[in-house]
Amino acid sequence: MPMFGLEGAFFSYTPPLFCRKLSEERPHVMLNQFPCENLLTVKDCLAYISRRVGSSEAPKWLPRTFNLLTELPQFVSYFKQRERRGEDNHWICKPWNLARSLDTYVSKSLHSIIRQRESSPKVVSKYIENPVLFQLEGTGLVKFDIRYIVLLRSVKPLRLYVYDVFWLRFSNRPFSLDDLDDYEKHFTVMNYAPGVPLKQIHCDEFIPLFEKQYPEYSWQSVEEEIFKSFHELFQAACAKPAPLGICDYPSSRAIYAIDLMLKWDTDSNGKPFMQPQILEVNFNPDCERACKYHPSFFNDVFSTLFLDDPTSCHVISIV
């Protein structure tokens, strides 16, 4: 149902039938989301549509993911195959429609993973056992994740922008593949837990520190791969008509937050490189930090999405 009933207001819930009726009765009303965008923001749907890219398994930028309710036999088979090959079998279980690491667990026990489906609907994703780490002063080499704000202007044609500032979150303890119940070692979401230290570094400060720690890898090249993965993700999400794809509704606009990590991988010549790993896509994200450090943030968002004037804004066109 709509948030407001006023002329020119933005609506927050947009099923396709509602959009059809709205387009006929009030075509000038604009919406702040796209019909069927749950294909991006719900974790099992995200995994499903991502399989449209590359092979039937998963693109390189998404950890291998299974729905524990509908794909349990496939997961067990894949787990056993990895076990026979002696490959790492750490997995992370997450509710398919929650955020902030709620009800999320890391395990390498098949029995424990299967039991997770008894509490709530969950997906299980391959845990990133070889993440790119960051040397945090006074702490050591810790995990970190990166949040980008992405702006979807239209589906057909696909017009996608990314805000040119990103945000970082860090674990509080050095990373290692043990103590899987240690939240401050294996998770990065610290800003909602009272009394837990929260380390923040602005992206302008992070980039030179990152390039100093990894002199063979420029942040520009890493970011190019990140934006390439965003492009492929949204292409896949828009590749089919609704409800199998995001609905092309001309009056819709949307803002998303994409959380990702970097992991080590090797190319065909055995050379290591940093591979982006998309973790989740969030609708209508928490933008408190964005507004605090960048007062023009929402002006840029509205200028890009609703005024079609991104020229003077802090955004980068991806598509």
Side-chain angles (χ1 to χ4, degrees):
M1 297 181 61
M3 269 182 90
F4 306 106
L6 303 176
E7 291 296 315
F10 296 102
F11 288 77
S12 69
Y13 178 60
T14 55
L17 291 178
F18 172 72
C19 286
R20 182 180 302 174
K21 183 178 180 181
L22 187 67
S23 66
E24 295 170 352
E25 297 180 355
R26 300 165 69 187
H28 57 284
V29 174
M30 305 187 78
L31 309 175
N32 68 341
Q33 68 181 102
F34 282 81
C36 303
E37 66 180 9
N38 59 297
L39 295 171
L40 285 171
T41 59
V42 178
K43 296 180 181 68
D44 60 333
C45 296
L46 173 64
Y48 174 77
I49 64 167
S50 297
R51 294 170 191 166
R52 298 172 183 170
V53 179
S55 68
S56 60
E57 295 185 353
K60 291 184 177 180
W61 41 258
L62 190 80
R64 186 69 187 271
T65 300
F66 297 89
N67 184 319
L68 281 179
L69 180 64
T70 62
E71 298 178 314
L72 182 60
Q74 294 92 325
F75 166 67
V76 172
S77 173
Y78 187 70
F79 185 98
K80 290 294 187 180
Q81 290 174 31
R82 294 183 64 89
E83 189 175 61
R84 286 193 294 269
R85 294 193 297 259
E87 298 175 346
D88 180 82
N89 245 344
H90 288 82
W91 294 79
I92 183 166
C93 300
K94 302 181 276 189
W96 52 260
N97 205 20
L98 288 179
R100 302 182 181 181
S101 301
L102 296 172
D103 196 19
T104 301
Y105 304 93
V106 180
S107 178
K108 59 179 180 179
S109 165
L110 180 59
H111 176 73
S112 297
I113 293 171
I114 293 173
R115 289 291 301 272
Q116 289 295 322
R117 64 202 293 264
E118 298 176 6
S119 61
S120 63
K122 283 188 171 68
V123 298
V124 59
S125 298
K126 182 64 187 69
Y127 187 61
I128 301 172
E129 77 277 8
N130 53 349
V132 175
L133 303 176
F134 184 79
Q135 181 71 41
L136 204 57
E137 185 177 356
T139 303
L141 288 169
V142 300
K143 287 177 60 175
F144 67 96
D145 67 14
I146 311 163
R147 167 166 287 195
Y148 281 90
I149 300 296
V150 174
L151 312 175
L152 181 58
R153 167 60 180 80
S154 64
V155 169
K156 291 183 179 180
L158 180 58
R159 293 173 61 189
L160 188 67
Y161 300 86
V162 61
Y163 199 70
D164 68 0
V165 174
F166 57 87
W167 288 267
L168 298 140
R169 299 182 297 192
F170 301 90
S171 297
N172 286 335
R173 295 179 184 143
F175 175 76
S176 59
L177 273 177
D178 55 15
D179 301 323
L180 301 181
D181 292 329
D182 188 340
Y183 183 89
E184 294 186 55
K185 174 185 288 191
H186 293 280
F187 293 86
T188 59
V189 182
M190 305 296 168
N191 45 320
Y192 301 105
V196 176
L198 174 63
K199 177 64 175 178
Q200 298 188 53
I201 299 178
H202 193 277
C203 63
D204 290 341
E205 180 185 356
F206 170 81
I207 293 174
L209 292 173
F210 179 89
E211 292 181 334
K212 183 178 180 181
Q213 294 182 25
Y214 299 102
E216 297 182 6
Y217 302 89
S218 70
W219 184 254
Q220 180 180 352
S221 64
V222 172
E223 199 166 55
E224 287 174 358
E225 288 300 314
I226 292 172
F227 293 168
K228 180 182 177 182
S229 69
F230 294 171
H231 184 181
E232 291 182 355
L233 171 61
F234 277 84
Q235 275 191 323
C238 302
K240 296 187 177 184
L244 299 178
I246 297 177
C247 182
D248 174 31
Y249 185 64
S251 295
S252 285
R253 311 286 190 272
I255 175 173
Y256 305 98
I258 301 183
D259 295 332
L260 63 98
M261 291 177 60
L262 301 172
K263 78 168 187 177
W264 290 108
D265 206 341
T266 54
D267 61 19
S268 58
N269 297 318
K271 182 180 179 181
F273 67 94
M274 297 180 181
Q275 173 65 56
Q277 294 287 278
I278 293 176
L279 305 178
E280 62 183 30
V281 180
N282 295 286
F283 162 72
N284 198 18
D286 181 356
C287 295
E288 181 180 358
R289 278 203 290 174
C291 296
K292 180 178 180 180
Y293 296 107
H294 304 276
S296 67
F297 173 77
F298 271 114
N299 287 339
D300 293 338
V301 169
F302 272 74
S303 292
T304 301
L305 291 181
F306 297 103
L307 301 180
D308 284 329
D309 183 20
T311 52
S312 59
C313 301
H314 298 279
V315 298
I316 300 168
S317 175
I318 297 180
V319 187

